[in-house]
Amino acid sequence: GAGVSQSPSNKVTEKGKDVELRCDPISGHTALYWYRQRLGQGLEFLIYFQGNSAPDKSGLPSDRFSAERTGESVSTLTIQRTQQEDSAVYLCASSLVGRSNYEQYFGPGTRLTVT
Amino acid sequence: TQLLEQSPQFLSIQEGENLTVYCNSSSVFSSLQWYRQEPGEGPVLLVTVVTGGEVKKLKRLTFQFGDARKDSSLHITAAQPGDTGLYLCAGARYSGAGSYQLTFGKGTKLSVIP
């Protein structure tokens, strides 16, 4: 496909369980981002990957959150020991770095509900 | 403290009316982007403005970047029900090591009533 894809689209999990969210960026995009969007809120930056550089993890809210990216392709966001406040839509975006206008293309998101 | 303030938060208007949405900050951005997000979907880029004072038009939408590159506005003429959605502004700043970071506002939720 031509766009960013994410899976699953919806995930319901029990408090305390671990979850893994997946993002497939647009082919050729070297930069990948994860954001969290709580109900009625804007986007909260979580983590940024660019090529082989060390990821920018400055937005991760706690050590329960981690993310990996294989080369310039798929990324997974893992939340361990989920809490109810983790309930949100998790959005992934990719972009062609090096362009001054820095346009990001978003996936449809994964809606996570922690019960 | 919210780096980018959007106003109004909510806007409900009749079809055919005009409206303006504002995005303000005390910080300078290298560029500013506007996105529209519909329920159940990710944000979609509408426009990027780069130069202070820049004005861009996209059909009935007019985007302006402030002279000091700290604020922006989105004006919609003759709003249509299809314009309904969450409008997000995002400012890009260089964060070092070849990396830019986007900071998003909380958005303006627009409802256009037929």
Side-chain angles (χ1 to χ4, degrees), chain A residues 37 48 56 101-102 104 107, chain B residues 33 37 42 45 99-102:
Chain A
Q37 186 175 30
Y48 160 72
D56 177 356
N101 54 13
Y102 197 64
Q104 293 189 13
Chain B
Q33 300 171 357
Q37 185 179 22
L45 180 69
S99 169
Y100 283 84
Q101 190 169 110
L102 274 188

Side-chain angles (χ1 to χ4, degrees), chain A residues 33 35 37 40-45 48 50 53 56 58 89 91 97 99-109 111, chain B residues 9 30-31 33 35 37 40-45 48 50 86 88 92 95 97-102 104-107:
Chain A
Y33 316 81
Y35 294 90
Q37 186 175 30
Q41 301 291 311
L43 275 64
E44 176 188 2
F45 167 76
Y48 160 72
Q50 165 50 34
S53 301
D56 177 356
S58 60
V89 175
L91 291 159
V97 181
R99 297 181 63 178
S100 62
N101 54 13
Y102 197 64
E103 300 167 10
Q104 293 189 13
Y105 297 84
F106 284 83
R111 181 175 296 278
Chain B
Q9 266 191 285
S30 58
S31 67
Q33 300 171 357
Y35 291 81
Q37 185 179 22
E41 298 181 9
V44 175
L45 180 69
T48 302
V50 179
L86 178 68
L88 295 157
S95 55
S99 169
Y100 283 84
Q101 190 169 110
L102 274 188
F104 282 83
K106 288 190 175 182

